């Protein structure tokens, strides 16, 4: 890739080089402005303005009823970092992201492989995979949450009936931090599968048939073919899927909010549910804004590291 | 160079995705501006929570009657769920869109920010004199009442007679008797719990009050919050005793009140503290349940109930609607309008005239009897919101084996930090 950049000077004039030529740049920009102005206004309005307000709020003292009492510098950030449970919550957030993304990608790879094979009823199976995507996340989570309730939950009832649980009312899966968190990971994987599977499936369909055929002729075993031919070709699809999943999973609130909402203390919280607790329970909009800014920076850092290391846009 | 451009583009995309999500939380409604109806018509914005499925209809009836009598005033009703109410009002207030009349819980924060009319400014002297004195005292910040007590509720012990009979247990009056009876009922097995103890985040502060106050403690008054005291520790330790000796349902620390009450209604819990509307809930869900409403057991058997009053309050906004608000409140609290409203919702009235009218009501009697001994949350203390949040977030840890004194200290610390 670096080679192409060096060749830039030899590209004939008029060919798109990705950035405006110097000299006429100012005029070009002026001509383009009316065309891109709506988009710019939208980006400023829905991205930069709220981000600015969030950062501004994080440096203010905002009363419980939402009245701005003046600037406090970085006191809200100090409160965030001095909170006794901040680092455990931070660690749990990282575990949450890694566990969900890794499990999602592994399962999606298998699922995409299956869906890429021709078999009777493939259309129906492909449709079924989309369903968790089409359903509301809160709804999916609520269904499983009620299934896990003691006394009347269907999952508990099933486990009691087949003899895995010996208390007749079932086990309080969502009442204990560890089990509630583990179930949340299961649900998060479930709702992330469709997007990831379809991204990888699209990648699989881009793998040229002759390459696989050639491998077969050379006597490569199926697993060898998969790991040496197919998987490298999926690099682009997987790395985009991983990137989007990291951001989505990191910012995911509804699943954990529903599944761990009734648990006292902070043993099942991630940064997102903590932001929510600051707003909803403690009415500290200022501290919640500070934690949001921290969360934002963490995502940017994770993504920057990921992009630097994996280079998802690099062609194979 | 191109490479770094791409890296930059990826980071920007990531930023965009994050920000779009973040911006979901931003944006209070800008519609619904009042007062431009032309002529001399005043529009009052009314924001209320939904107590039951009939709340909206009840308010619509009140408004229809009021508008018929006052053609120059329009009332715009907005109904929100209890879970959303706090964030809706906070968003509205910070966006300069406060409703004129608001029905909510704590209001000391609004009063401290000088956003509210005092009660005297928005009701006639006759209406003010009709409120029960204890409720008006409870609605005062620094001696000045800011809220109008809308409804009251008290708590009492709901007892499943059949289960207690099967277990050979008696209705308890003291903690020791409660522990003994509850253990006998729990011993019936088959998933039956002796005492239903909801310490989950939904309303942990209520169960906390039942126990901590029952042991002689308090949560403090309008100037100081006192949670971490030796008196409160007695109750906290007894909660742990109930849990460790198996007198309660499993996972008491993270069980919410509403789902647990459903299980009581289904007849699988021996005893649980309930509210006036619980009577209606049992009538609708399981009318065959054979139950008794008894006073809440305390350490020494003395009378106690946790009283809760929700309030109506009037926001000043631009200060032009005081007269219209007064008319609305006077209309609403007249006995003919107010009593059917309270009765349908299944709560207790806060006015003297209302209490007289409901005196003969059989199902409300145990609660009306308990009302004189009612103790209230220190809800006019500006730190109460933070305290309540701390109870919700932390109190359940008692049932998870955490040191009782440590839990109380943690709640006190979070409350002090505001």
């Amino acid at each position: 890739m670096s080679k192409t950049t060096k060749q830039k000077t030899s590209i004939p004039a008029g060919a798109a080089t990705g950035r405006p030529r110097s000299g006429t740049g100012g005029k070009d920009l002026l001509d383009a402005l009316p065309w891109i102005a709506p988009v710019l206004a939208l980006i400023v309005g829905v991205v930069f303005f709220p981000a600015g307000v969030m950062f501004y709020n994080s440096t203010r003292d905002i009363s419980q009823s939402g009245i701005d009492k003046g600037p406090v510098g970085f006191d809200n950030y100090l409160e965030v970092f001095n909170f006794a449970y901040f680092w455990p919550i931070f660690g749990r957030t990282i575990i949450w992201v890694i566990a969900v993304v890794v499990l999602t990608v592994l399962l999606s790879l298998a699922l995409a492989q299956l869906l890429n094979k021709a078999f009777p009823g493939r259309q129906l199976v492909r449709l079924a995979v989309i369903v968790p995507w089409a359903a509301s996340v809160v709804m999916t989570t609520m269904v499983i949450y009620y299934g896990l309730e003691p006394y009347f939950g269907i999952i508990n009832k099933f486990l009691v009936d087949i003899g895995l649980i010996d208390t007749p009312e079932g086990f309080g899966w969502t009442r204990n931090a560890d089990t509630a968190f583990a179930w949340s990971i299961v649900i998060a994987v479930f709702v992330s599968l469709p997007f990831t599977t379809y991204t990888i499936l699209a990648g699989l369909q881009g793998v040229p048939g002759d390459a696989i055929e050639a491998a077969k002729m050379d006597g490569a075993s199926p697993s060898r073919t998969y790991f040496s031919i197919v998987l490298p070709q999926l690099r682009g699809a997987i790395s985009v899927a991983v990137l989007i999943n990291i951001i989505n999973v990191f910012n995911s609130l509804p699943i954990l909010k529903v599944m761990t909402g009734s648990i006292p203390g902070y043993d099942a919280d991630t940064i997102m549910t903590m932001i929510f607790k600051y707003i909803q329970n403690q009415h500290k909009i200022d501290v919640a804004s500070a934690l949001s800014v921290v969360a934002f920076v963490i995502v940017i850092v994770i993504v920057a590291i990921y992009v630097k290391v994996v280079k998802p846009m690099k062609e194979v | 160079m191109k490479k770094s451009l791409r890296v930059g583009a990826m980071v920007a995309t990531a930023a965009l995705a994050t920000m779009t999500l973040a911006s979901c939380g931003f944006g209070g409604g800008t519609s619904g501006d009042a007062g431009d109806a032309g002529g001399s018509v005043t529009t009052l914005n009314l924001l209320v929570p939904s107590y039951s499925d009939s709340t909206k209809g009840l308010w619509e009836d009140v408004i229809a009657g009021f508008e018929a009598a006052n053609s120059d005033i329009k009332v715009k009703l907005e109904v929100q769920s209890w879970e959303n109410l706090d964030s809706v009002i906070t968003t509205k207030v910070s966006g300069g869109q406060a409703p004129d009349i608001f029905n909510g819980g704590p209001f000391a924060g609004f009063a401290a920010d000088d956003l509210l009319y005092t009660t005297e400014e928005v009701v006639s002297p006759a209406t003010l004199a009709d409120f029960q004195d204890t409720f008006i005292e409870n609605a005062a910040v620094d001696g000045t009442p800011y809220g109008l007590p809308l409804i009251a509720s008290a708590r009492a012990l709901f007892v499943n007679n059949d289960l207690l009979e099967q277990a050979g247990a008696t209705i308890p009056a003291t903690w020791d008797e409660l522990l003994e009876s509850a253990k006998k009922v729990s011993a019936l097995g088959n998933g039956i719990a002796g005492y239903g103890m909801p310490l989950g985040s939904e309303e942990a502060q209520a169960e906390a009050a039942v126990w901590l106050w029952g042991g002689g403690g308090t949560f403090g008054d309008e100037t100081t919050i006192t949670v971490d005291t030796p008196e409160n520790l007695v109750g906290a330790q007894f909660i742990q005793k109930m849990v460790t000796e198996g007198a309660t349902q499993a996972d008491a620390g993270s069980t919410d009140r509403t789902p647990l009450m459903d299980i009581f209604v289904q007849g699988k819990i021996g005893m649980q503290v309930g509210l006036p509307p619980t009577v209606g809930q049992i009538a609708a869900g399981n009318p065959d349940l054979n139950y008794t409403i008894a006073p809440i057991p305390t350490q020494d058997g003395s009378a106690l109930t946790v009283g809760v009053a929700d309030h109506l309050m009037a926001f000043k906004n631009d200060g032009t609607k005081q007269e219209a608000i007064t008319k609305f409140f006077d209309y609403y609290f007249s006995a003919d309008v107010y009593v059917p409203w309270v009765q349908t919702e299944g709560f207790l009235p806060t006015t003297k005239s209302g209490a007289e009218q409901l005196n003969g009501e059989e199902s409300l009697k145990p609660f009306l009897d308990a009302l004189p001994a009612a103790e209230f949350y220190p809800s006019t203390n500006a730190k109460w919101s933070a305290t309540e949040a701390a109870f919700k977030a932390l109190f359940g840890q008692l049932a998870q084996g955490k040191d009782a004194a440590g839990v109380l200290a943690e709640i006190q610390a979070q409350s002090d930090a505001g």
Side-chain angles (χ1 to χ4, degrees), chain A:
Chain A
M1 196 154 78
S2 48
K3 224 184 249 168
T4 47
T5 17
K6 273 177 202 145
Q7 285 167 355
K8 197 171 148 194
T9 44
S10 66
I11 292 171
T17 56
R19 49 178 52 202
R21 280 153 293 161
S22 54
T24 55
K27 196 184 171 309
D28 278 358
L29 192 66
L30 214 61
D31 287 344
L33 204 57
W35 299 93
I36 58 171
V39 178
L40 284 181
L42 196 68
I43 291 177
V44 169
V46 304
V47 179
F48 291 106
F49 175 65
V53 172
M54 187 173 81
F55 182 74
Y56 176 76
N57 279 346
S58 73
T59 62
R60 312 289 293 181
D61 175 19
I62 298 175
S63 81
Q64 281 182 7
S65 43
I67 304 292
D68 195 331
K69 302 271 193 185
V72 288
F74 288 94
D75 282 5
N76 294 320
Y77 290 88
L78 281 181
E79 179 168 351
V80 164
F81 288 113
N82 288 337
F83 181 52
Y85 298 94
F86 177 77
W87 292 109
I89 288 174
F90 177 82
R92 200 169 305 111
T93 310
I94 301 297
I95 293 173
W96 163 251
V97 172
I98 292 178
V100 173
V101 173
V102 168
L103 287 173
T104 303
V105 169
L106 289 180
L107 285 174
S108 298
L109 278 172
L111 211 54
Q113 207 62 38
L114 174 74
L115 294 181
N116 199 33
K117 287 266 175 289
F119 58 87
R122 180 168 73 160
Q123 300 287 18
L124 285 177
V125 179
R126 282 190 176 182
L127 196 69
V129 172
I130 295 194
V131 169
W133 203 359
S136 138
V137 174
V138 175
M139 196 188 83
T140 312
T141 315
M142 286 305 264
V143 167
I144 296 177
Y145 179 81
Y146 279 112
L148 291 170
E149 279 284 287
Y151 291 101
F152 52 80
I154 192 165
I155 301 174
N156 258 326
K157 190 122 190 55
F158 176 75
L159 292 174
V160 170
D161 284 350
I162 63 170
L164 276 180
I165 299 179
D166 35 5
T167 47
E169 77 271 23
F171 180 75
W173 298 99
T174 55
R175 307 283 161 76
N176 296 285
D178 294 339
T179 50
F181 194 69
W183 273 102
S184 303
I185 291 178
V186 172
I187 299 171
V189 170
F190 179 70
V191 300
S192 308
L193 275 180
F195 166 76
T196 318
T197 305
Y198 272 79
T199 310
I200 294 174
L201 188 58
L204 273 179
Q205 282 164 354
V207 177
D210 48 3
I212 295 174
E213 215 167 293
K216 218 177 245 168
M217 302 248 318
D218 288 344
S221 68
S223 65
R224 178 80 205 261
T225 314
Y226 184 75
F227 285 106
S228 306
I229 310 289
V230 179
L231 207 53
Q233 305 250 22
L234 287 178
R235 179 196 170 86
I238 293 175
S239 50
V240 168
V242 168
L243 184 68
I244 303 228
N245 270 321
I246 288 178
I247 298 166
N248 259 341
V249 173
F250 186 93
N251 284 324
S252 165
L253 170 71
I255 298 173
L256 285 162
K257 155 95 179 74
V258 172
M259 295 296 288
T260 67
S262 67
I263 295 171
Y266 303 97
D267 293 337
D269 278 315
T270 64
I271 290 180
M272 284 302 137
T273 60
M274 197 58 222
I275 292 175
F276 185 81
K277 281 189 174 173
Y278 275 132
I279 300 176
Q280 188 80 5
N281 297 344
Q282 305 187 28
H283 299 280
K284 290 181 178 171
I285 296 172
D286 41 8
V287 181
S289 299
L291 185 54
S292 302
V293 172
V294 172
F296 179 54
V297 171
I298 295 173
V299 176
I300 295 292
V301 168
I302 293 177
V303 169
I305 293 173
Y306 178 79
V307 169
K308 199 84 194 155
V309 173
V310 182
K311 300 187 178 66
M313 300 303 262
K314 193 174 136 190
E315 298 87 4
V316 187

Side-chain angles (χ1 to χ4, degrees), chain A residues 1 19 51 63-66 69 85 151 168-169 172 175-176 243 251 261-262 264-266 280-281 283-284 296, chain B residues 3 5-6 10 18-19 21 83 93-94 110 113 190-191 201 251 253-254 256 263 385 389 393 396 402 410 414:
Chain A
M1 196 154 78
R19 49 178 52 202
S63 81
Q64 281 182 7
S65 43
K69 302 271 193 185
Y85 298 94
Y151 291 101
E169 77 271 23
R175 307 283 161 76
N176 296 285
L243 184 68
N251 284 324
S262 67
Y266 303 97
Q280 188 80 5
N281 297 344
H283 299 280
K284 290 181 178 171
F296 179 54
Chain B
K3 193 170 80 181
L5 199 74
R6 279 181 171 162
M10 291 299 285
T18 327
M19 292 323 302
L21 287 164
E83 295 99 75
V93 169
S94 53
F110 299 131
D113 288 337
N190 205 19
S201 60
D251 302 314
S254 42
D256 281 344
I263 293 159
S385 287
K402 204 164 166 175
E410 210 175 340
Q414 221 179 76

Side-chain angles (χ1 to χ4, degrees), chain B residues 166-398:
Chain B
Q166 266 182 53
T170 50
I171 297 180
T174 66
W175 281 355
D176 291 328
E177 291 168 23
L178 175 62
L179 179 64
E180 194 192 316
S181 294
K183 271 170 31 185
K184 279 185 187 164
V185 175
S186 282
L188 290 174
N190 205 19
I192 288 165
Y195 179 77
M197 185 184 277
L199 297 178
S201 60
E202 182 185 349
E203 214 188 2
Q205 75 275 17
E207 192 70 16
V210 165
W211 289 95
L212 303 193
W213 300 355
T218 78
F219 289 170
D221 54 29
E222 60 178 270
T223 49
T224 357
I225 294 285
T226 51
V227 176
D228 187 15
T229 61
E231 294 81 32
N232 285 340
L233 190 59
V234 179
Q237 281 168 340
F238 203 83
I239 287 179
Q240 292 191 313
K241 193 170 176 191
M242 291 283 290
V243 171
T244 49
E245 298 198 9
T248 68
Q249 85 284 8
D251 302 314
S254 42
T255 309
D256 281 344
R257 186 175 65 83
T258 309
L260 190 65
M261 192 42 92
D262 288 338
I263 293 159
F264 177 86
V265 173
Q266 288 169 18
K268 291 192 171 158
I269 291 177
M271 292 163 281
Q272 189 177 341
V273 173
L275 294 156
T278 310
V279 175
Q281 211 184 328
I282 294 173
N286 186 5
D288 298 335
L289 190 73
N290 175 13
Y291 71 98
T292 307
I293 304 174
I296 293 175
T298 52
Q299 191 184 22
D300 55 7
S302 57
L304 165 84
T305 188
V306 180
V308 179
D310 285 342
H311 295 93
L312 284 172
M313 57 205 88
F315 281 87
K316 283 182 185 167
N317 288 327
D318 56 4
T320 56
K321 297 177 185 168
Q322 188 178 350
E323 200 182 324
I325 294 171
T326 309
K327 280 184 185 165
F328 183 79
F329 282 154
D330 283 345
Y331 174 80
Y332 175 73
F333 281 106
S334 59
D336 292 343
V337 179
Y338 177 63
V339 172
W341 197 100
V342 176
Q343 209 172 7
T344 313
E345 289 288 23
F347 284 101
L348 310 176
T350 56
T351 59
K352 292 168 190 160
S353 57
E356 273 164 33
Q357 279 205 16
L358 286 181
N359 223 358
E361 197 73 19
E362 196 54 40
S363 64
L364 291 181
K365 200 169 177 314
F367 296 101
L368 286 169
D369 289 349
L371 223 43
E375 288 181 41
F376 293 92
Y377 300 127
S379 57
T380 49
N381 189 310
K383 300 259 190 212
W384 170 244
S385 287
T387 314
E388 189 183 76
F391 268 109
K392 287 182 182 184
L394 303 168
F395 195 68
Q397 294 178 111
L398 281 179

